[in-house]
Amino acid sequence: MKIKLYIEGGGESALQDTLFREGWQTFFQKAGLAGRMPKTFRGGGRNSTFDAYQTAVRTKRPDELPLLLVDSEDLISDGTKEWAHLMARDGWVRPPNVGADDALLMVCCMETWFLADREALKKFFHDCWRDNAVPQWPDLEAISKDMIFEKLALATAGCGKKAYAKGKRSFEILKLIDPAIVEAKCPGAKRLLDRLRNN
């Protein structure tokens, strides 16, 4: 089965497209998926990602499996499944003939995964990274997106032009983080990687 993974984000330029693909490819290879890598599709905006995913579901071949990967954006209530969260938050209806586990979430955002691997962040930002600006949260997926971004901004405030900002920086860091560390601390990441491994 060929997995086609539609991922939110990635910007609009050709350079951003290259960085997006390289970032995800490296992350998945390090997660042990070499030889069964998903084909990644840069979705851009949130709604356009879902639109592209729905089109892929409607037009898929028998040997293809489209999957959706987006930020949860908001915290997820205990016991709430991915499609239920997306319906409540975004009004997205699960397409016909789509599995309950075909939607996957970065909770609350990709940057949560970055904070799971602080050593990678220290390596990327070097001496300007202020580790004490970010609390040692025991449950990263219980921290809001706004708080994640606020603490990343504080931790990199002394980095000048290298201070954290979404875009190019995101996919450079994605290449550095250790998937084993991320999935140990972020259940949403583990669900994604298990889904790809066990397909």
Side-chain angles (χ1 to χ4, degrees), residues 164-183:
Y164 185 77
K166 253 188 128 50
K168 179 184 176 184
R169 204 80 68 225
S170 306
F171 301 109
E172 291 174 345
I173 296 172
L174 183 62
K175 290 167 73 171
L176 285 179
I177 59 175
D178 184 339
I181 293 172
V182 175
E183 67 178 319

PDB file of all heavy atoms in Angstrom, residues 164-183:
ATOM      1  N   TYR A 164      13.513  31.928  16.699  1.00  0.00           N
ATOM      2  CA  TYR A 164      12.548  31.015  16.093  1.00  0.00           C
ATOM      3  C   TYR A 164      11.397  31.743  15.411  1.00  0.00           C
ATOM      4  O   TYR A 164      10.795  32.650  15.968  1.00  0.00           O
ATOM      5  CB  TYR A 164      11.966  30.023  17.110  1.00  0.00           C
ATOM      6  CG  TYR A 164      11.072  29.034  16.394  1.00  0.00           C
ATOM      7  CD1 TYR A 164      11.642  27.998  15.654  1.00  0.00           C
ATOM      8  CD2 TYR A 164       9.690  29.183  16.364  1.00  0.00           C
ATOM      9  CE1 TYR A 164      10.856  27.119  14.926  1.00  0.00           C
ATOM     10  CE2 TYR A 164       8.897  28.309  15.644  1.00  0.00           C
ATOM     11  CZ  TYR A 164       9.483  27.287  14.931  1.00  0.00           C
ATOM     12  OH  TYR A 164       8.700  26.424  14.190  1.00  0.00           O
ATOM     13  N   ALA A 165      11.106  31.307  14.194  1.00  0.00           N
ATOM     14  CA  ALA A 165       9.930  31.775  13.453  1.00  0.00           C
ATOM     15  C   ALA A 165       9.503  30.616  12.569  1.00  0.00           C
ATOM     16  O   ALA A 165      10.339  29.865  12.068  1.00  0.00           O
ATOM     17  CB  ALA A 165      10.253  32.993  12.607  1.00  0.00           C
ATOM     18  N   LYS A 166       8.196  30.473  12.383  1.00  0.00           N
ATOM     19  CA  LYS A 166       7.697  29.402  11.527  1.00  0.00           C
ATOM     20  C   LYS A 166       8.214  29.595  10.105  1.00  0.00           C
ATOM     21  O   LYS A 166       8.498  30.697   9.683  1.00  0.00           O
ATOM     22  CB  LYS A 166       6.169  29.421  11.519  1.00  0.00           C
ATOM     23  CG  LYS A 166       5.567  28.269  12.309  1.00  0.00           C
ATOM     24  CD  LYS A 166       4.093  28.196  12.143  1.00  0.00           C
ATOM     25  CE  LYS A 166       3.621  26.822  11.741  1.00  0.00           C
ATOM     26  NZ  LYS A 166       4.138  25.738  12.549  1.00  0.00           N
ATOM     27  N   GLY A 167       8.312  28.503   9.371  1.00  0.00           N
ATOM     28  CA  GLY A 167       8.779  28.605   7.991  1.00  0.00           C
ATOM     29  C   GLY A 167      10.053  27.809   7.810  1.00  0.00           C
ATOM     30  O   GLY A 167      10.135  26.650   8.189  1.00  0.00           O
ATOM     31  N   LYS A 168      11.061  28.456   7.273  1.00  0.00           N
ATOM     32  CA  LYS A 168      12.329  27.779   6.990  1.00  0.00           C
ATOM     33  C   LYS A 168      12.907  27.110   8.236  1.00  0.00           C
ATOM     34  O   LYS A 168      13.361  25.980   8.200  1.00  0.00           O
ATOM     35  CB  LYS A 168      13.327  28.794   6.425  1.00  0.00           C
ATOM     36  CG  LYS A 168      14.694  28.205   6.123  1.00  0.00           C
ATOM     37  CD  LYS A 168      15.672  29.259   5.657  1.00  0.00           C
ATOM     38  CE  LYS A 168      17.057  28.659   5.446  1.00  0.00           C
ATOM     39  NZ  LYS A 168      18.061  29.666   5.094  1.00  0.00           N
ATOM     40  N   ARG A 169      12.883  27.824   9.343  1.00  0.00           N
ATOM     41  CA  ARG A 169      13.439  27.313  10.588  1.00  0.00           C
ATOM     42  C   ARG A 169      12.789  25.982  10.994  1.00  0.00           C
ATOM     43  O   ARG A 169      13.435  25.068  11.477  1.00  0.00           O
ATOM     44  CB  ARG A 169      13.222  28.366  11.682  1.00  0.00           C
ATOM     45  CG  ARG A 169      14.155  28.313  12.818  1.00  0.00           C
ATOM     46  CD  ARG A 169      15.499  28.942  12.575  1.00  0.00           C
ATOM     47  NE  ARG A 169      15.497  30.364  12.413  1.00  0.00           N
ATOM     48  CZ  ARG A 169      16.169  30.994  11.463  1.00  0.00           C
ATOM     49  NH1 ARG A 169      16.861  30.316  10.576  1.00  0.00           N
ATOM     50  NH2 ARG A 169      16.174  32.304  11.386  1.00  0.00           N
ATOM     51  N   SER A 170      11.474  25.892  10.781  1.00  0.00           N
ATOM     52  CA  SER A 170      10.719  24.703  11.215  1.00  0.00           C
ATOM     53  C   SER A 170      11.293  23.421  10.632  1.00  0.00           C
ATOM     54  O   SER A 170      11.498  22.435  11.352  1.00  0.00           O
ATOM     55  CB  SER A 170       9.252  24.817  10.772  1.00  0.00           C
ATOM     56  OG  SER A 170       8.672  26.010  11.217  1.00  0.00           O
ATOM     57  N   PHE A 171      11.552  23.425   9.331  1.00  0.00           N
ATOM     58  CA  PHE A 171      11.951  22.186   8.676  1.00  0.00           C
ATOM     59  C   PHE A 171      13.430  21.885   8.855  1.00  0.00           C
ATOM     60  O   PHE A 171      13.846  20.728   8.766  1.00  0.00           O
ATOM     61  CB  PHE A 171      11.511  22.212   7.214  1.00  0.00           C
ATOM     62  CG  PHE A 171      10.024  22.370   7.111  1.00  0.00           C
ATOM     63  CD1 PHE A 171       9.460  23.553   6.657  1.00  0.00           C
ATOM     64  CD2 PHE A 171       9.183  21.362   7.543  1.00  0.00           C
ATOM     65  CE1 PHE A 171       8.084  23.717   6.617  1.00  0.00           C
ATOM     66  CE2 PHE A 171       7.800  21.513   7.511  1.00  0.00           C
ATOM     67  CZ  PHE A 171       7.255  22.691   7.042  1.00  0.00           C
ATOM     68  N   GLU A 172      14.224  22.907   9.162  1.00  0.00           N
ATOM     69  CA  GLU A 172      15.618  22.674   9.536  1.00  0.00           C
ATOM     70  C   GLU A 172      15.661  21.943  10.879  1.00  0.00           C
ATOM     71  O   GLU A 172      16.459  21.018  11.065  1.00  0.00           O
ATOM     72  CB  GLU A 172      16.373  23.995   9.624  1.00  0.00           C
ATOM     73  CG  GLU A 172      16.581  24.678   8.275  1.00  0.00           C
ATOM     74  CD  GLU A 172      17.203  26.060   8.412  1.00  0.00           C
ATOM     75  OE1 GLU A 172      17.217  26.600   9.533  1.00  0.00           O
ATOM     76  OE2 GLU A 172      17.681  26.600   7.411  1.00  0.00           O
ATOM     77  N   ILE A 173      14.799  22.350  11.812  1.00  0.00           N
ATOM     78  CA  ILE A 173      14.754  21.703  13.127  1.00  0.00           C
ATOM     79  C   ILE A 173      14.145  20.309  13.019  1.00  0.00           C
ATOM     80  O   ILE A 173      14.597  19.374  13.680  1.00  0.00           O
ATOM     81  CB  ILE A 173      13.972  22.581  14.129  1.00  0.00           C
ATOM     82  CG1 ILE A 173      14.721  23.902  14.353  1.00  0.00           C
ATOM     83  CG2 ILE A 173      13.773  21.858  15.461  1.00  0.00           C
ATOM     84  CD1 ILE A 173      13.962  24.929  15.158  1.00  0.00           C
ATOM     85  N   LEU A 174      13.127  20.151  12.175  1.00  0.00           N
ATOM     86  CA  LEU A 174      12.507  18.840  11.985  1.00  0.00           C
ATOM     87  C   LEU A 174      13.550  17.794  11.577  1.00  0.00           C
ATOM     88  O   LEU A 174      13.476  16.630  11.991  1.00  0.00           O
ATOM     89  CB  LEU A 174      11.403  18.934  10.927  1.00  0.00           C
ATOM     90  CG  LEU A 174      10.593  17.663  10.658  1.00  0.00           C
ATOM     91  CD1 LEU A 174       9.833  17.210  11.902  1.00  0.00           C
ATOM     92  CD2 LEU A 174       9.625  17.888   9.500  1.00  0.00           C
ATOM     93  N   LYS A 175      14.532  18.199  10.802  1.00  0.00           N
ATOM     94  CA  LYS A 175      15.581  17.280  10.367  1.00  0.00           C
ATOM     95  C   LYS A 175      16.492  16.854  11.526  1.00  0.00           C
ATOM     96  O   LYS A 175      17.108  15.793  11.481  1.00  0.00           O
ATOM     97  CB  LYS A 175      16.433  17.923   9.262  1.00  0.00           C
ATOM     98  CG  LYS A 175      15.713  18.082   7.944  1.00  0.00           C
ATOM     99  CD  LYS A 175      16.454  18.993   6.985  1.00  0.00           C
ATOM    100  CE  LYS A 175      17.678  18.359   6.401  1.00  0.00           C
ATOM    101  NZ  LYS A 175      18.254  19.193   5.304  1.00  0.00           N
ATOM    102  N   LEU A 176      16.562  17.696  12.559  1.00  0.00           N
ATOM    103  CA  LEU A 176      17.478  17.433  13.674  1.00  0.00           C
ATOM    104  C   LEU A 176      16.855  16.607  14.796  1.00  0.00           C
ATOM    105  O   LEU A 176      17.556  15.865  15.483  1.00  0.00           O
ATOM    106  CB  LEU A 176      17.980  18.751  14.268  1.00  0.00           C
ATOM    107  CG  LEU A 176      19.021  19.537  13.479  1.00  0.00           C
ATOM    108  CD1 LEU A 176      19.370  20.816  14.235  1.00  0.00           C
ATOM    109  CD2 LEU A 176      20.285  18.704  13.272  1.00  0.00           C
ATOM    110  N   ILE A 177      15.550  16.765  15.030  1.00  0.00           N
ATOM    111  CA  ILE A 177      14.950  16.118  16.197  1.00  0.00           C
ATOM    112  C   ILE A 177      14.954  14.597  16.054  1.00  0.00           C
ATOM    113  O   ILE A 177      14.929  14.059  14.952  1.00  0.00           O
ATOM    114  CB  ILE A 177      13.529  16.640  16.480  1.00  0.00           C
ATOM    115  CG1 ILE A 177      12.591  16.418  15.296  1.00  0.00           C
ATOM    116  CG2 ILE A 177      13.574  18.106  16.891  1.00  0.00           C
ATOM    117  CD1 ILE A 177      11.141  16.820  15.587  1.00  0.00           C
ATOM    118  N   ASP A 178      14.986  13.929  17.197  1.00  0.00           N
ATOM    119  CA  ASP A 178      15.047  12.466  17.254  1.00  0.00           C
ATOM    120  C   ASP A 178      13.621  11.919  17.378  1.00  0.00           C
ATOM    121  O   ASP A 178      12.965  12.137  18.400  1.00  0.00           O
ATOM    122  CB  ASP A 178      15.880  12.051  18.468  1.00  0.00           C
ATOM    123  CG  ASP A 178      16.079  10.552  18.564  1.00  0.00           C
ATOM    124  OD1 ASP A 178      15.293   9.790  17.975  1.00  0.00           O
ATOM    125  OD2 ASP A 178      17.040  10.141  19.255  1.00  0.00           O
ATOM    126  N   PRO A 179      13.134  11.194  16.364  1.00  0.00           N
ATOM    127  CA  PRO A 179      11.766  10.686  16.429  1.00  0.00           C
ATOM    128  C   PRO A 179      11.498   9.808  17.650  1.00  0.00           C
ATOM    129  O   PRO A 179      10.383   9.814  18.182  1.00  0.00           O
ATOM    130  CB  PRO A 179      11.624   9.878  15.133  1.00  0.00           C
ATOM    131  CG  PRO A 179      12.626  10.477  14.201  1.00  0.00           C
ATOM    132  CD  PRO A 179      13.776  10.874  15.075  1.00  0.00           C
ATOM    133  N   ALA A 180      12.504   9.068  18.107  1.00  0.00           N
ATOM    134  CA  ALA A 180      12.308   8.200  19.274  1.00  0.00           C
ATOM    135  C   ALA A 180      12.006   9.024  20.524  1.00  0.00           C
ATOM    136  O   ALA A 180      11.147   8.658  21.339  1.00  0.00           O
ATOM    137  CB  ALA A 180      13.539   7.328  19.489  1.00  0.00           C
ATOM    138  N   ILE A 181      12.696  10.147  20.673  1.00  0.00           N
ATOM    139  CA  ILE A 181      12.451  11.037  21.809  1.00  0.00           C
ATOM    140  C   ILE A 181      11.074  11.686  21.675  1.00  0.00           C
ATOM    141  O   ILE A 181      10.310  11.779  22.641  1.00  0.00           O
ATOM    142  CB  ILE A 181      13.545  12.115  21.898  1.00  0.00           C
ATOM    143  CG1 ILE A 181      14.890  11.481  22.263  1.00  0.00           C
ATOM    144  CG2 ILE A 181      13.171  13.199  22.908  1.00  0.00           C
ATOM    145  CD1 ILE A 181      16.068  12.428  22.192  1.00  0.00           C
ATOM    146  N   VAL A 182      10.748  12.107  20.459  1.00  0.00           N
ATOM    147  CA  VAL A 182       9.478  12.787  20.227  1.00  0.00           C
ATOM    148  C   VAL A 182       8.300  11.864  20.498  1.00  0.00           C
ATOM    149  O   VAL A 182       7.347  12.230  21.193  1.00  0.00           O
ATOM    150  CB  VAL A 182       9.415  13.351  18.796  1.00  0.00           C
ATOM    151  CG1 VAL A 182       8.040  13.960  18.516  1.00  0.00           C
ATOM    152  CG2 VAL A 182      10.503  14.401  18.583  1.00  0.00           C
ATOM    153  N   GLU A 183       8.344  10.642  19.989  1.00  0.00           N
ATOM    154  CA  GLU A 183       7.192   9.759  20.186  1.00  0.00           C
ATOM    155  C   GLU A 183       7.074   9.281  21.630  1.00  0.00           C
ATOM    156  O   GLU A 183       5.984   8.915  22.082  1.00  0.00           O
ATOM    157  CB  GLU A 183       7.216   8.584  19.209  1.00  0.00           C
ATOM    158  CG  GLU A 183       8.307   7.583  19.389  1.00  0.00           C
ATOM    159  CD  GLU A 183       8.186   6.432  18.378  1.00  0.00           C
ATOM    160  OE1 GLU A 183       7.062   5.962  18.118  1.00  0.00           O
ATOM    161  OE2 GLU A 183       9.236   6.008  17.855  1.00  0.00           O
TER     162      GLU A 183
END
